[in-house]
Amino acid sequence: MTGKIQIGSQSVIYAQAALVAGALLAGAIITTGHGNSIDKVLAQYHESNTQVLLQNQQIEQMKSDISNMQKQIAGIPEAIAKSDMLNTKISSAVSAAAIGAMAKVATVSNALPKEKAANNSPKNIETVKGGHPAIEPQDYVLGDRNAPVSIFEWADPECPYCKQFHGTPGKVAEKSNGKVNFVYRHLPLDFHGEIAVQESVAMECAGQQQGDAGFYKLVNSIYTGTRSNGKGPSVPVRSLANEAGLDMAAYDKCVGDQATKDLIDQDIKSAKHVRTASKGIAGTPSTVVINHATQNAILIRGAVSEQLLNQVVTAVQGG
């Protein structure tokens, strides 16, 4: 006889210990006359019984393992559900945080004028505390030289923000009905190289030959042509001076004259004299709008719109 235990899809067949023992004992009695002893039969019985016990232990262990696996499998859907819930919560929290951050950025952005935000912060629009500029004999002035308000700009022709801002102060002066003039001053920065100095010198030489009109004509030409950041215009500066109608022999002499370079240095020093509550003039473009009668003056750092510049002019006028 045989018995069968079903475990999953596998069947384990084992011999009944008693039947095995009986068969062995019977065989032993029948063959006793051939030399087999009762002790040998008993030893075989014990060995067979031990094997059956070991098989039963293995079967029980397999049952336990399968039961544990079934429990684990049964728990998988619940774990997945919990994971999905957690991911959903995390995703919702991240999305909410992102939306909130974008809303804050949009609010701040919409509150600022359409210039670079830094240019409109309190640190970049300051009251001048000392070193107020005044129109000097060597200055070239766009507009009425005796206008009550002046816009002084310190600029580097290779500065991209100066190029962006170029033309704005002149427009404000031209639209002021003689109440505002514009004074351009040189502040070539070292990291823009020698070309920035050459362009500044060329402007000075144009002014020496043709006065205010000649000075600003070449200023416009250089700012229009420059590729900025030390690259200069696509044609030599001397060619631009020639196109502006300058006497080139006098121009060449002026360019090589140390006195011309000294005028550039004077403009640089005048920038260092301007004082505010913080750092004064530290870069380009830097613009001071001043009411000569009251000495009310405001420093603007960076390129700003014509509208903002007009607002500063109105402020120093006392309006």
Side-chain angles (χ1 to χ4, degrees):
M1 294 177 64
T2 60
K4 185 181 291 185
I5 297 176
Q6 188 73 24
I7 303 176
S9 61
Q10 295 182 352
S11 297
V12 178
I13 301 175
Y14 66 94
Q16 297 290 341
L19 295 176
V20 172
L24 291 171
L25 182 58
I29 293 172
I30 294 170
T31 59
T32 301
H34 297 282
N36 290 332
S37 65
I38 296 296
D39 291 338
K40 185 175 181 181
V41 172
L42 290 174
Q44 290 175 345
Y45 164 77
H46 287 302
E47 181 180 354
S48 177
N49 189 48
T50 300
Q51 291 176 353
V52 170
L53 291 175
L54 288 174
Q55 287 179 352
N56 286 338
Q57 290 176 357
Q58 290 173 351
I59 290 167
E60 292 302 321
Q61 182 62 46
M62 289 175 66
K63 287 181 179 180
S64 176
D65 291 344
I66 290 171
S67 177
N68 290 333
M69 289 177 64
Q70 288 174 337
K71 290 179 181 179
Q72 293 175 358
I73 291 170
I76 288 175
E78 182 180 357
I80 292 173
K82 289 181 179 179
S83 176
D84 288 342
M85 290 175 63
L86 180 59
N87 288 338
T88 299
K89 289 180 180 179
I90 292 172
S91 178
S92 298
V94 171
S95 297
I99 291 170
M102 287 188 290
K104 288 181 180 179
V105 170
T107 300
V108 172
S109 178
N110 291 334
L112 293 173
K114 298 304 180 183
E115 281 86 42
K116 293 184 179 298
N119 292 339
N120 301 289
S121 70
K123 291 184 178 180
N124 289 289
I125 301 178
E126 289 189 283
T127 300
V128 175
K129 301 293 185 181
H132 294 66
I135 295 177
E136 305 293 344
Q138 69 270 19
D139 283 323
Y140 296 102
V141 180
L142 185 63
D144 185 351
R145 198 175 187 89
N146 297 313
V149 173
S150 291
I151 301 172
F152 290 86
E153 180 196 1
W154 282 264
D156 177 340
E158 288 301 299
C159 161
Y161 298 113
C162 298
K163 183 180 176 77
Q164 175 186 334
F165 187 53
H166 178 69
T168 301
K171 289 179 182 178
V172 172
E174 289 172 356
K175 296 176 182 179
S176 70
N177 296 321
K179 296 179 181 179
V180 180
N181 60 35
F182 170 55
V183 180
Y184 179 97
R185 287 190 174 176
H186 309 286
L187 188 55
L189 304 175
D190 291 341
F191 58 81
H192 282 149
E194 185 61 26
I195 184 63
V197 176
Q198 291 175 9
E199 290 165 333
S200 297
V201 168
M203 296 172 189
E204 278 296 322
C205 292
Q208 289 183 25
Q209 282 195 41
Q210 299 180 348
D212 295 329
F215 177 85
Y216 285 102
K217 181 179 180 180
L218 190 55
V219 167
N220 292 338
S221 180
I222 288 174
Y223 271 96
T224 299
T226 184
R227 293 165 293 178
S228 301
N229 291 317
K231 297 177 182 177
S234 58
V235 298
V237 176
R238 191 176 187 279
S239 296
L240 296 178
N242 187 39
E243 291 175 5
L246 299 183
D247 180 329
M248 296 313 295
Y251 172 84
D252 290 339
K253 182 178 180 180
C254 174
V255 167
D257 192 343
Q258 181 59 44
T260 308
K261 296 182 176 62
D262 290 342
L263 292 172
I264 308 298
D265 290 339
Q266 287 182 31
D267 281 359
I268 295 171
K269 290 177 181 178
S270 69
K272 295 178 180 179
H273 291 158
V274 176
R275 300 191 307 277
T276 64
S278 61
K279 57 186 177 182
I281 293 176
T284 59
S286 290
T287 306
V288 172
V289 182
I290 183 170
N291 183 325
H292 294 290
T294 64
Q295 289 293 282
N296 185 15
I298 295 175
L299 169 64
I300 305 170
R301 299 186 184 93
V304 299
S305 67
E306 182 179 344
Q307 178 183 5
L308 181 58
L309 184 55
N310 271 316
Q311 290 173 353
V312 173
V313 168
T314 300
V316 301
Q317 287 173 330

